Amino acid sequence: MRLELAGQDFRETGPHVLVLDLCLHLIRRDHGTRLANQRARLLVAAPHRAGGQAQFVDLPMPPDLDDGPAPVYGWALHNLHQPLTVDQLAHQAGMLRRTLIRRFHADTGRPPMRWLLDARLGLARELLESSDLTVEAVARRCGLGTPANFRTLFKAHVGVPPRAYRETFNSAPLRKA
């Protein structure tokens, strides 16, 4: 089956997927790339049909808590560009290191450093989707070290290299940062 709309060719093996592709195109055109990407993730559908499904699963956000280490989640999210440690997080939360680790496990199901990595990768995905920053600038802003380290971590956890991810979710041209 084939459909052409506004100069864009929509081809797929079945009519159901064709309709999803068309809907995502209309959302992108009328409401922007960011909303289209969010909807594609909800559907576990690629906006442009590339890569594996791991790239479409939103990373968990910090839990909505009123006590314990709750303020440290926001603090950490605002300081992702810094080299954060468990000891820094514990100090910021006003807890002992072991207590913080237990609370992170209870609240998020992950150890603190894994939660930080997921948060950094989530920010990287957002920047790749919504900006034209270079891979080097994204790595710097997310606290993921060198561009090579960033590429390795991104591919291992998201399933595709940063460049392929950007090509799937963002059509903005690259610029120097």
Side-chain angles (χ1 to χ4, degrees), residues 28-139:
R28 185 179 314 102
R29 184 191 70 190
D30 295 344
H31 301 285
T33 302
R34 181 177 222 161
L35 185 61
N37 289 343
Q38 290 171 347
R39 296 302 171 244
R41 278 194 210 96
L42 288 173
L43 298 168
V44 189
H48 300 101
R49 298 277 164 234
Q53 289 186 358
Q55 61 190 295
F56 306 115
V57 178
D58 277 331
L59 295 171
M61 291 307 293
D64 190 17
L65 305 171
D66 293 328
D67 64 339
V72 82
Y73 294 112
W75 178 83
L77 290 173
H78 285 99
N79 289 285
L80 291 176
H81 62 285
Q82 300 291 332
L84 301 175
T85 66
V86 174
D87 289 332
Q88 287 174 307
L89 295 173
H91 177 74
Q92 186 68 28
M95 296 181 168
L96 295 173
R97 176 186 172 96
R98 292 180 66 185
T99 303
L100 178 85
I101 292 169
R102 281 195 302 274
R103 289 299 300 266
F104 257 82
H105 273 287
D107 295 344
T108 69
R110 287 173 277 195
M113 295 311 286
R114 178 55 200 241
W115 182 86
L116 274 174
L117 176 60
D118 289 345
R120 285 180 164 131
L121 290 169
L123 177 58
R125 287 173 30 184
E126 185 178 318
L127 291 172
L128 290 170
E129 291 173 14
S130 63
S131 77
D132 59 354
L133 294 172
T134 63
V135 168
E136 292 79 10
V138 171

